Amino acid sequence: MTRSSALRRLSALARAPLVSAAYNVKRCGVVQAVRGLSGLSQACRSPGQRLSQPTTSTLLPRIAQPSAIRFYSVVTVECPEMGESISEGTFVSIVKTSGEAVAVDDVVAQIETDKVTLDVRSPYNGALTEYLVSEGDTVTVGMPLFKVDQSAEGTAAAAAPTPAAEAPKAAEAPKAAAPTPPPSAAKAPAPAASTAPPASAVPSSGSRVERRVPMSRLRRRVADRLKQSQNTYALLTTFNEVDMTNLMALRNEYKDAFLEKHGVKLGFMSAFVKGAASALEEFPAVNGVIDGDDIVYRDYYDISIAVGTPKGLVVPVIRNVNTMNFADIEKTIGFLGKKARDGQLELDDMSGGSFTISNGGVYGSLLSTPIINPPQSAILGMHATQQRPMVINGQVTVRPMMYIALTYDHRLIDGREAVLFLRRIKDVVEDPKRLVLDL
């Protein structure tokens, strides 16, 4: 080995401990790195040689100085995965402000996609140093969103002032007013000027103001899908009416015991969901869908429930309803409805679904023609229950009646099947014992 190659070899060996020390600073901290480097130095010294105690400034490379250590404590949080087939969203809400303390799993911001609103959570403890995007910006998966300093504590969220704290300030306000001049110093009153504003400054009672706001991603998605449904499907709607007398009597008789045992109220939706599941089993074409030149028949029964929220219409899915009882259905509807109203629905909650039920009756709708939720082939519309005169056994009597509507894709479902499907739901709801006896 030549002298030059030996020197290069010794130089590489000398740099190796420093590189290792810098790595240890990043992963383990300064103290562990100093101890490791000190042990290496003691092991490599010659016999009889005495070394002084190593220090951080003499042993650690430039990258391990305090400024670099602070650099490594600041981490950048990127945009998380938004779900299958979703690559971008809108940065709509900032929950934590810059300089505020954050903990692991704290919600820092929210991203709105065309299906759900996602919470962006902090993966670290520390202080939020800065946002790298602004509200309203379009963000993509993996895009840097904000930075967190793990070595800082941050400030607590500012609390809203309480009325009790504001009361003393209001009490002190009269004291701060300027004192009135003594009567002797008062001048003769000047003629009062007219305080009426000019006629041009008075706004007219019929002001015509317009506001233009951008559509949310969810609203744009709903609009696109509804128009797609109208443009693609051969939509046709058939109607019927349901006598709610027996179902209401059943509910009134068992609602207290049902609530005590299952912890949830007995409503009308569970009966219609079970009735729809029974009808889907009897008429599989309604549970199918056209896919190109094929027809896909589904042997499972996942029913979507349309829920109106302040941000738009969402349709969470109740899966395998044919295996559920009334209590399971009511609990699932309540759980998904709360998540929808709180904006906490996830993509999995709304994926799939082979049939939809929309209840416009909760808003007082008497009759409507619902639009199919693609790629499904039919939708059931429920409406308000009203007391109406009906002829029963030749006698006119007042009964609680509900109109129901079935909109279906006439390319796949014939009129006979649609009418019998709706009649099956009517029969089951009017006589719930049919569900028990499988009739």
Side-chain angles (χ1 to χ4, degrees):
M1 179 182 298
T2 63
R3 177 182 176 85
S4 59
S5 60
L7 290 176
R8 285 196 300 270
R9 179 75 176 255
L10 289 174
S11 176
L13 291 175
R15 287 196 303 269
L18 299 181
V19 175
S20 176
Y23 177 79
N24 287 336
V25 168
K26 180 180 178 182
R27 300 288 296 177
C28 307
V30 176
V31 176
Q32 290 84 345
V34 170
R35 289 175 179 173
L37 193 55
S38 174
L40 180 63
S41 301
Q42 294 294 339
C44 295
R45 66 183 178 87
S46 59
Q49 182 182 0
R50 185 172 182 176
L51 294 179
S52 60
Q53 182 66 25
T55 62
T56 303
S57 59
T58 58
L59 290 180
L60 295 183
R62 183 179 182 84
I63 195 173
Q65 297 304 316
S67 60
I69 297 171
R70 183 171 181 81
F71 171 78
Y72 282 123
S73 70
V74 178
V75 291
T76 301
V77 179
E78 299 178 345
C79 179
E81 294 287 339
M82 305 181 196
E84 185 178 358
S85 74
I86 300 179
S87 59
E88 67 176 22
T90 302
F91 199 73
V92 294
S93 176
I94 292 177
V95 180
K96 298 284 188 178
T97 58
S98 297
E100 189 174 340
V102 294
V104 174
D105 210 35
D106 275 359
V107 177
V108 176
Q110 290 183 323
I111 297 175
E112 182 185 74
T113 70
D114 55 5
K115 295 182 180 180
V116 294
T117 300
L118 302 174
D119 290 334
V120 181
R121 300 179 181 272
S122 172
Y124 309 101
N125 294 322
L128 180 65
T129 58
E130 64 173 321
Y131 281 98
L132 305 178
V133 293
S134 303
E135 287 187 352
D137 289 353
T138 298
V139 297
T140 57
V141 175
M143 182 176 178
L145 299 181
F146 55 88
K147 293 182 178 181
V148 175
D149 188 347
Q150 300 179 80
S151 63
E153 296 182 357
T155 60
T162 60
E166 296 177 354
K169 297 181 180 179
E172 294 174 1
K175 298 180 181 179
T180 58
S184 59
K187 295 182 179 181
S194 175
T195 58
S200 58
V202 179
S204 62
S205 58
S207 59
R208 298 161 59 85
V209 179
E210 293 183 356
R211 294 182 298 113
R212 183 182 295 270
V213 296
M215 293 177 66
S216 66
R217 286 180 174 269
L218 180 59
R219 175 59 62 188
R220 293 202 302 265
R221 178 63 173 173
V222 170
D224 291 341
R225 288 175 63 83
L226 292 179
K227 194 57 182 174
Q228 174 193 351
S229 178
Q230 286 187 325
N231 294 340
T232 304
Y233 295 158
L235 299 176
L236 190 62
T237 304
T238 184
F239 302 92
N240 213 317
E241 56 184 354
V242 177
D243 187 347
M244 301 289 288
T245 301
N246 292 334
L247 182 60
M248 293 177 69
L250 178 71
R251 179 175 179 267
N252 291 333
E253 181 178 358
Y254 294 105
K255 62 180 181 180
D256 294 334
F258 190 89
L259 177 60
E260 181 180 355
K261 180 175 181 179
H262 300 292
V264 64
K265 294 182 179 180
L266 176 60
F268 296 144
M269 281 297 298
S270 52
F272 279 92
V273 170
K274 289 297 291 184
S278 175
L280 290 171
E281 289 185 86
E282 188 171 345
F283 301 95
V286 183
N287 203 43
V289 63
I290 294 177
D291 185 13
D293 295 332
D294 300 326
I295 300 176
V296 179
Y297 292 100
R298 304 182 180 98
D299 293 331
Y300 55 89
Y301 308 100
D302 296 348
I303 295 183
S304 305
I305 305 296
V307 179
T309 69
K311 294 184 178 180
L313 183 69
V314 293
V315 279
V317 181
I318 306 175
R319 307 188 189 281
N320 300 317
V321 294
N322 56 311
T323 64
M324 304 172 71
N325 57 29
F326 277 51
D328 295 334
I329 294 174
E330 292 291 353
K331 290 178 181 178
T332 306
I333 291 175
F335 174 72
L336 294 176
K338 185 178 185 305
K339 290 184 69 175
R341 290 186 294 271
D342 294 343
Q344 300 296 323
L345 281 176
E346 300 176 1
L347 191 60
D348 291 342
D349 295 327
M350 297 186 292
S351 61
S354 57
F355 184 77
T356 296
I357 298 179
S358 175
N359 186 7
V362 297
Y363 307 111
S365 173
L366 184 62
L367 193 62
S368 66
T369 55
I371 300 178
I372 295 175
N373 177 28
Q376 300 171 10
S377 298
I379 180 174
L380 173 69
M382 298 169 54
H383 301 91
T385 301
Q386 286 190 333
Q387 298 287 338
R388 296 203 303 270
M390 302 296 296
V391 178
I392 308 295
N393 297 326
Q395 301 293 325
V396 177
T397 181
V398 177
R399 293 293 183 97
M401 303 298 295
M402 175 193 290
Y403 288 118
I404 56 176
L406 179 74
T407 299
Y408 58 97
D409 185 1
H410 207 358
R411 300 177 304 164
L412 173 62
I413 304 168
D414 295 331
R416 171 185 173 275
E417 293 173 307
V419 171
L420 292 178
F421 178 91
L422 198 59
R423 181 58 187 264
R424 173 61 181 172
I425 295 178
K426 168 184 169 68
D427 293 342
V428 168
V429 174
E430 289 186 341
D431 188 6
K433 295 188 293 292
R434 288 175 173 270
L435 291 174
V436 180
L437 301 176
D438 194 20
L439 296 177

